[in-house]
Amino acid sequence: MASCSIEDVLAKAERDEAEKLKGITVNKELDLEFDPGNLLAFDKNRIDTREFKDNKREDFIRSLARDNTQLLINEMWKLPTERVEEIIVAKLPDPSTPLPREKPAPKPKPPTKWEQFAKLKGIQKKKKTNLVWDEVHKEWRRRWGYKRAKDDTKEWLIEVPENADPSEHQFAKRNKAKKERVAKNEYNRLKNIARAQKIKVPGMGLAPTPRQPKAELAQAVNVAKISTASVGKFQDNLPKEKTPKNTGKKRKFQPLIGDFSSEKQKQLDLLKVMDSKKPRLDITKAVNKQMREEDRESAQKSKKGFGKKGRRGNMSGKGKGKAGGKGKAPKGKGRKPHMKQGKR
Amino acid sequence: SKLLKGIVKAKTRRSKRFLQSREPKLTEGQKSSMIIRGGNSSETVSQALKDVYALKKPNAVLYKRKNMVRPFDDSTALEFFSKKSDCSLFLFGSHNKKRPNNLIFGRMFDFHVLDMFELGIERFVSLRDVKTDTCPEGTKPLLVFAGELFETDREHQRLRNLLTDFFCGPRVSAVRLAGLEHVLHFTALEGKIYMRSYKVLLKKSGCRTPRIQLQDMGPSFDFVMRRNHMASDDLYKTAHRQPRGVKPKKKKNISHDAFGTRLGRLHMQKQDLDKLQTRKMKGLRKRRGEQTAETAAAAAKAPRTDE
């Protein structure tokens, strides 16, 4: 009697369980393959083409989707959950579908010259503070960069050391030393990069790049020309080549205290020019220069625009260049017509 | 070019961050996709592109203007776009008499085309035509593929991988169970792919797991498979190569038993149990010429006095 009731109880419990799970059970021939990491499910079961007729297709697909989604949700609810700020969240495992990468994996960079040395000597990196107290200005300043704490190029008074040449320009000396340090740092940085990529670093302007602008090529030619033992003195010019008048120096200043008479003459000439009514500015020259600049810019833009075809179109040139100094109409070269709108 | 990398320094911190975000990383984030309109697209194609863009926002860029590009003939233009916008997935839509309502799904590896699949739209229901409320932007969709073709046919397998890659969304470590609202269902039958998108309604059932009801949500496509370009096997393998740091190092000699307790294994040399050194008790040492009973009594007392 007791055993019958136990069996009954168990059977009833089973039926109750089945009732509960009726809502979520789905019968399939083959089990689905799941990838919870990607929220993915794959149903390998055969699809009956008879049920796939036009009029019943949408309902068939919807019921198929419902069954598959139910199975996937059942799988998701089996995952371990945790409470994050009052929200129940399921922790996802790693995705099992192998997806290709976007870019190849980064190769570990070889250590720089300093890093090699530091490793050898066992030098650790020390964490430094961002700001340093500057006694002179009595405030906290950067350790390096713009308006830094101890900037020796910005001092207004430099004592001339005893063993130095009295006519030496101390301020210029400091600036030059800074420039040299910067150049040396840059050179070492490039050498590190070249060592990392195993490329030989050539001198200035001679590294071949796919599209070298005209200015760089001209610079490379000039550098090559003076790279002889006699610094280019005996190098002949090409048929139409012109020797550059100045070797890069844009301004040249006279020494502070030099020839008094020539200085006096210069000052008087300056006064005469300021007095005269004739304008100093050569209008045609200025206007031609401006137009040349604009044409060069628009040519560069059109070259770039060709590479970006199919993207932005707007190839209209800049606004009309300003006319010469006193508002006269520009003479000289005729202007090119407005660039037509390129492909959008 | 590679030569200019590092030689031309970023001048501001913002540009430096921008360049760093485009560098290859150990573990990659979400892939961006570019949705491009080709020369002469029809109304269907334009609307389809807009709908896919709505699904994939915000990690997608839509190029609405016509681009005269033929991906299967010349993929350099696509590669250029990909390099400029840093997108590795693309969807190209076009329309001509020979191939009406054409969509090309594709992906890149290292800014070169890896796989491309051309699918023609036979039937299309847009988001606009289905008047139900949609899921919020950026919800990670559930993906379901149905049909044995996805398992047996090599091209379908690759297409399945491509569609997973395209629609899977960001890689997350945990997901809010109530937020699984969107499901994309792909059925493959007789060379056609039926893509449907539904909103998931979680209803009460007797137990913890809810009962699912689906509500139609746009867009829905009936695709027919046309041409494709699959990557060669070794290129495909190279694309999957993971860097060394990513694989988690398996800790040896640590295991978990059925109850969840953490067990470890120690490896020892062979010990000679005769010569085992226990705590030295002088009292236990045998003294010469004394009776054993006395020694036993002394031994009983000696440790106590010692302690």
Side-chain angles (χ1 to χ4, degrees), chain A residues 1-214:
Chain A
M1 276 287 224
S3 58
C4 283
S5 64
I6 289 174
E7 275 172 19
D8 283 337
V9 163
L10 283 174
K12 188 163 178 295
E14 245 187 77
R15 268 180 276 131
D16 284 341
E17 272 294 315
E19 272 291 318
K20 272 192 189 173
L21 292 175
K22 199 173 73 172
I24 60 167
T25 42
V26 176
N27 283 322
K28 288 270 188 183
E29 275 177 17
L30 284 168
D31 274 335
L32 270 62
E33 275 178 19
F34 295 107
D35 179 10
N38 266 328
L39 306 182
L40 182 73
F42 175 41
D43 179 13
K44 283 186 273 193
N45 290 301
R46 267 194 74 238
I47 301 170
D48 203 350
T49 34
R50 281 173 299 156
E51 294 186 34
F52 217 71
K53 296 276 187 339
D54 263 324
N55 46 357
K56 291 193 282 179
R57 189 177 289 169
E58 282 308 312
D59 296 326
F60 174 72
I61 294 179
R62 196 178 302 127
S63 67
L64 177 68
R66 198 221 76 83
D67 290 340
N68 287 335
T69 318
Q70 180 73 64
L71 288 167
L72 180 57
I73 290 282
N74 291 353
E75 198 61 31
M76 300 302 299
W77 251 253
K78 285 182 200 163
L79 292 172
T81 59
E82 58 179 22
R83 244 189 141 79
V84 175
E85 293 172 18
E86 296 154 15
I87 304 172
I88 301 177
V89 151
K91 287 183 69 173
L92 293 177
D94 285 334
S96 56
T97 341
L99 294 173
R101 282 176 65 95
E102 236 186 335
K103 296 165 191 152
K107 291 189 193 77
K109 283 195 292 194
T112 61
K113 202 99 170 84
W114 166 252
E115 280 171 6
Q116 285 171 7
F117 179 74
K119 206 163 90 170
L120 189 69
K121 288 279 186 175
I123 303 171
Q124 308 287 345
K125 257 197 196 177
K126 286 207 186 111
K127 189 109 177 154
K128 296 187 179 131
T129 56
N130 284 340
L131 302 175
V132 184
W133 178 251
D134 190 3
E135 263 310 314
V136 174
H137 295 89
K138 295 277 190 298
E139 61 177 5
W140 288 96
R141 283 191 159 195
R142 271 168 241 236
R143 192 182 284 276
W144 57 272
Y146 181 61
K147 284 194 187 155
R148 55 183 171 276
K150 292 178 214 163
D151 192 352
D152 63 348
T153 50
K154 295 278 187 293
E155 276 186 55
W156 59 276
L157 183 84
I158 302 176
E159 289 173 5
V160 177
E162 289 186 54
N163 50 356
D165 184 11
S167 70
E168 197 183 10
H169 205 276
Q170 294 298 329
F171 295 101
K173 188 166 133 191
R174 288 208 179 170
N175 281 327
K176 210 166 113 175
K178 170 108 186 119
K179 284 207 175 91
E180 278 174 14
R181 284 198 302 267
V182 168
K184 176 173 177 276
N185 194 18
E186 185 66 18
Y187 183 61
N188 284 331
R189 186 179 76 92
L190 291 176
K191 269 212 301 196
N192 274 326
I193 293 172
R195 193 183 314 114
Q197 295 183 5
K198 297 192 179 61
I199 299 168
K200 295 201 182 188
V201 178
M204 175 190 73
L206 302 171
T209 45
R211 243 195 239 163
Q212 274 176 311
K214 191 172 162 192

Side-chain angles (χ1 to χ4, degrees), chain A residues 23 39 41-43 46 49 52 58 62 66 70 74 77 89-90 92 98 100-103 189 310 344, chain B residues 6 22 25-26 28 31 67 86 88 110 143 145 147-148 151 173 175 196 208 210-212 216 239-240:
Chain A
L39 306 182
F42 175 41
D43 179 13
R46 267 194 74 238
T49 34
F52 217 71
E58 282 308 312
R62 196 178 302 127
R66 198 221 76 83
Q70 180 73 64
N74 291 353
W77 251 253
V89 151
L92 293 177
R101 282 176 65 95
E102 236 186 335
K103 296 165 191 152
R189 186 179 76 92
R344 287 166 134 232
Chain B
R22 291 209 169 179
K25 300 173 198 103
L26 278 178
E28 288 181 334
K31 292 189 186 181
N67 297 294
D86 194 32
S88 57
D110 196 20
L143 298 167
F145 291 88
E148 53 186 8
E151 169 94 5
S173 56
V175 71
R196 299 283 180 272
R208 191 173 153 251
R211 185 180 159 76
I212 299 295
D216 262 341
H240 282 267

